[in-house]
Amino acid sequence: MRQISRGLVTAGAVLVASLALPGTAHAAGPTVKSAYSDQADWSVLDVRLNFSGEVGKLVATLRPVGSSATDTPVATITDFTKRYESSSWDAVWASQPIHLDTLGDYTVDIEATDGSGETTVQKDAGTLHYQKQPVFSGFAVTPAEPDIEHQTITAAGDMVVRDPSTRETEPLPGASVDLTFDGGSGKATAVTDGAGHFAVPHQLTQAGWAFADYNGDLGFAASSWIDVRPKAAPTRMVLDQSSFHVTTGEKIKVTGTLQYQFGEEWKPLSGIPLEMDYKECSTCSPVDTTTDANGRFSFVRTPYGSKSVYEIAFTSYTPFAQHSTADVTAAVTATTKFSAFTASLDKYAQLKVTGTLDLIGRDVNDQASVDIQYSANGKTNWTTKKTVKVGFGSQFTADKVPGYTDGYWRLRYAGSTTKDIKGTTSNSLRRNRALTRIKDANASPEPVTKGRTITVKGVLQERPVGSSTWRAYGGKKVQILFRPKGAKSWYLMSTVTTKSSGSFSKGFTARQDGTWVPVFLYPDSKHFVGSGTEDYVDVR
C-alpha cells in the first residue's frame, strides 16, 4: 500500500500524529515548489517539482480561490508533459489547455508520485489564473534580413484577448505596446488601432533581439522574440594616393572613397566615422573624419620619421557593412640646419670654427661629413678647406684651418640619398684682419767688428682691410729677434716702440755671427702679425 504525505494542510485540518511539523512532508516523494498559469497560455498549468529519480504520476485538482480544501474540486488534471529541466532534479511539467465552465482564479492542489511510489500531497501549491488573456498574434519583423539598403525594419502584429474556455479571440484596441530593438538598446511604444493592430518602423543600429510587451489592465503579455541579424555588405576603401614622399614638416592629405558592394555594383558609403592612425601603434594618435554624401573622406597629417605606415579603419560598429581597412605609406626626407655657427681668424690667419648640425624629423645617432668652405667674394668659387666628422645635434669645433687675410666662410652638409637626409648650408661669415709689415728692415753695418754696435731699424706699417695703401703704424711695440749662427732658435733681444711715422731703431753690441729680424708679434684683434726681412751680420 502506498504512503501519502501531506504538505501544507488547511487551517481546520487535524494533525496526524506521524507528521513531524505542519506544512512539511515526511515521506520521500517529490517536492512541489509551485503551480501557476503558464505565461504564454493562462489555461495551461505549470507545475515545478524538485525530485530524485523519476516522477511517475502528477495529479492537480482545482477549486475556486477562497474555497475550503475539503470542497469538491471543479477539475482534476492528470495529463502533464515535462516542459523543461533546469537541472537533473528540478523541472517544470505543463498540462494541456484546461477547459473550465467559469472564468476566475483557482487554487491548485498537487499530488506528485515518484517512480518508487512515494507520494507528496501539496495543498495550496499555487493559482491558476483562468481569465481572458491578452495575447500577441502574428508578431513579425520585416524585412527578416535587413541589409545596407534596407536598414529600417518594421515590427508589426496584433493584440487580441483570448477566452481560455472557448479559445476564441477578439481584437484589443487602444492597447499600449512597448517594443524593444537592437538587443535592448532601442525602445519604442505603439498603440493598437481599432482592429488591435500595430506597426512600428525602426532604424536598426545593431543586431539583436526584437520583441513586444503589453502590461495593462488585463495583465502582462509578451510576444515571441525575433533575432534580427542584418546582412553586412562588403566594403572597400579606394585611395586616390596610397604612398607619399615628403620633406620634414610637410603635411600629407590622404583622400579616397569608401564603397560598399550591393549585388555586382560598388556604391559610395556615406556617414561612416573613420580614423587614420599609425598601424600597430604603440602610442596612438588618431585623426578622425566621416565620409560625406559621396563616400569621400580626407585626412591631414604631418608624418615623422623616415617611414610611417598608417591604417584607415572604421571607428564604430555598423551591422550593415563589413569593416575594411586601407594602408597609407609616408616616406619623409629629413632636413638639416646649422646652428651656433661661429668663425674666428687668429693673428696667424688660422681659422677656428664651431657649430652644430641639427637633424630635423629624424632620431638617429649617425655621423655626418661637414665641409668648411671659403669664398673670396661670398658668392662664387666656394672651395672646401677642411672636412670634419660631426654627430647630429652635437656641437663641433675645428681649429687651425688655413685661412685668408680676408674672405667669407660657411659650413656645408651635402646630405645623404641612402638615408634620405637633405643637405644644408650655413649662412656665410666674413672674417679678416689688417695686414702689417716692417718695411726697410736692416741690421748694419755688415760686416762688423766684434764689440762695435749693430743697429737694427725699420718702419712698421699697416694696410687696412679693403685698402691697397700701406700707412705708418706708430705707437706699437716691435720685437727684435736674433738667431746665432748654427742655432735653430730665435732669441728676443729687445722690444721697441714705433714712432708716429712707424719707424724704430735699436743698437746692439756685436758679439757673434747671426741673423737679425724685427717682428710685430702681438697685434690687437684687428691685425695680423708682421715681420721684416731677415738680415745676416758677419762679426769679425
Side-chain angles (χ1 to χ4, degrees):
M1 180 177 180
R2 68 178 184 174
Q3 297 177 347
I4 299 176
S5 64
R6 305 227 173 239
L8 294 173
V9 299
T10 59
V14 178
L15 292 176
V16 180
S18 61
L19 295 179
L21 289 171
T24 63
H26 71 282
T31 300
V32 180
K33 302 299 292 182
S34 58
Y36 47 87
S37 286
D38 188 84
Q39 178 178 314
D41 189 341
W42 291 350
S43 68
V44 173
L45 179 65
D46 289 344
V47 179
R48 182 184 171 199
L49 302 177
N50 285 168
F51 59 94
S52 61
E54 297 181 356
V55 175
K57 185 178 181 182
L58 185 60
V59 178
T61 57
L62 305 179
R63 50 190 172 85
V65 169
S67 64
S68 170
T70 60
D71 289 348
T72 302
V74 299
T76 300
I77 300 97
T78 59
D79 187 6
F80 285 91
T81 301
K82 186 188 290 186
R83 174 165 290 178
Y84 63 85
E85 292 182 346
S86 57
S87 68
S88 61
W89 45 268
D90 186 278
V92 172
W93 277 258
S95 73
Q96 296 299 313
I98 300 168
H99 176 74
L100 300 176
D101 294 332
T102 306
L103 299 177
D105 291 341
Y106 292 85
T107 298
V108 181
D109 299 325
I110 298 296
E111 180 181 313
T113 304
D114 64 14
S116 64
E118 295 291 344
T119 298
T120 298
V121 175
Q122 181 70 51
K123 294 291 186 179
D124 298 329
T127 301
L128 178 71
H129 187 59
Y130 200 75
Q131 303 283 1
K132 288 187 176 183
Q133 180 181 1
V135 176
F136 284 94
S137 174
F139 180 72
V141 174
T142 54
E145 190 179 57
D147 57 41
I148 196 165
E149 295 197 353
H150 305 90
Q151 299 185 23
T152 298
I153 60 173
T154 299
D158 298 283
M159 283 221 68
V160 299
V161 178
R162 183 174 62 205
D163 189 318
S165 60
T166 65
R167 311 301 292 173
E168 293 179 351
T169 61
E170 60 182 16
L172 180 58
S176 180
V177 177
D178 295 321
L179 294 110
T180 299
F181 302 96
D182 305 318
S185 62
K187 301 290 184 179
T189 300
V191 177
T192 59
D193 62 15
H197 184 73
F198 64 90
V200 177
H202 174 71
Q203 174 70 40
L204 201 66
T205 59
Q206 65 182 51
W209 295 100
F211 55 90
D213 289 334
Y214 165 79
N215 195 1
D217 295 338
L218 296 178
F220 177 79
S223 73
S224 58
W225 286 37
I226 298 176
D227 191 10
V228 182
R229 296 288 167 182
K231 182 179 180 181
T235 64
R236 68 183 183 185
M237 297 181 188
V238 181
L239 298 176
D240 299 326
Q241 183 178 343
S242 61
S243 63
F244 298 82
H245 195 155
V246 297
T247 301
T248 296
E250 293 180 351
K251 298 180 183 295
I252 62 172
K253 186 175 183 179
V254 180
T255 57
T257 304
L258 178 62
Q259 299 176 333
Y260 71 92
Q261 186 178 25
F262 194 77
E264 297 300 321
E265 185 179 0
W266 286 94
K267 300 180 178 182
L269 182 54
S270 63
I272 300 298
L274 301 176
E275 72 174 14
M276 187 174 77
D277 201 357
Y278 293 107
K279 190 170 185 177
E280 300 176 356
C281 65
S282 57
T283 303
C284 295
S285 177
V287 289
D288 302 308
T289 191
T290 300
T291 58
D292 65 15
N294 297 314
R296 297 287 296 170
F297 58 82
S298 175
F299 298 97
V300 176
R301 288 206 70 137
T302 305
Y304 184 86
S306 60
K307 184 177 181 180
S308 298
V309 179
Y310 299 100
E311 182 181 74
I312 304 173
F314 286 53
T315 59
S316 60
Y317 168 75
T318 172
F320 297 103
Q322 299 174 10
H323 286 203
S324 58
T325 61
D327 288 351
V328 176
T329 302
V332 181
T333 299
T335 59
T336 51
K337 71 174 183 178
F338 287 104
S339 60
F341 169 43
T342 65
S344 59
L345 196 64
D346 70 10
K347 63 184 181 178
Y348 300 108
Q350 289 187 329
L351 195 74
K352 179 179 180 180
V353 172
T354 63
T356 301
L357 177 59
D358 297 316
L359 180 63
I360 305 166
R362 192 82 55 82
D363 297 319
V364 298
N365 294 319
D366 294 345
Q367 284 198 323
S369 295
V370 172
D371 297 328
I372 301 171
Q373 296 187 323
Y374 170 81
S375 168
N377 58 17
K379 298 177 181 179
T380 58
N381 298 323
W382 287 98
T383 57
T384 299
K385 298 305 177 182
K386 189 172 185 178
T387 300
V388 293
K389 287 286 188 180
V390 305
F392 289 111
S394 299
Q395 187 181 55
F396 62 89
T397 299
D399 53 12
K400 296 184 179 180
V401 179
Y404 294 83
T405 58
D406 191 9
Y408 295 82
W409 298 88
R410 73 179 186 183
L411 303 176
R412 177 181 177 272
Y413 168 58
S416 172
T417 55
T418 58
K419 298 177 182 178
D420 201 10
I421 301 175
K422 190 175 182 180
T424 187
T425 303
S426 73
N427 59 310
S428 60
L429 300 177
R430 185 181 184 184
R431 293 293 179 262
N432 50 44
R433 290 188 179 214
L435 292 173
T436 62
R437 71 179 182 182
I438 298 177
K439 185 181 179 183
D440 300 331
N442 184 47
S444 62
E446 52 182 300
V448 63
T449 302
K450 188 175 183 179
R452 299 291 297 270
T453 299
I454 297 176
T455 301
V456 179
K457 62 182 179 178
V459 178
L460 178 63
Q461 295 180 323
E462 64 170 342
R463 192 175 77 184
V465 175
S467 173
S468 59
T469 302
W470 290 93
R471 65 187 184 187
Y473 196 24
K476 304 302 174 183
K477 295 186 180 300
V478 171
Q479 290 74 36
I480 298 176
L481 307 181
F482 174 71
R483 184 178 66 197
K485 180 180 179 181
K488 294 182 178 180
S489 299
W490 291 93
Y491 296 92
L492 175 63
M493 303 303 292
S494 180
T495 298
V496 296
T497 301
T498 62
K499 298 178 181 179
S500 61
S501 63
S503 64
F504 63 88
S505 177
K506 180 68 176 177
F508 301 92
T509 301
R511 300 185 185 278
Q512 58 182 320
D513 296 348
T515 303
W516 296 84
V517 63
V519 294
F520 178 49
L521 286 180
Y522 303 106
D524 60 17
S525 62
K526 296 181 180 180
H527 290 77
F528 290 110
V529 297
S531 65
T533 303
E534 296 180 5
D535 195 5
Y536 181 80
V537 177
D538 181 16
V539 178
R540 297 176 179 179

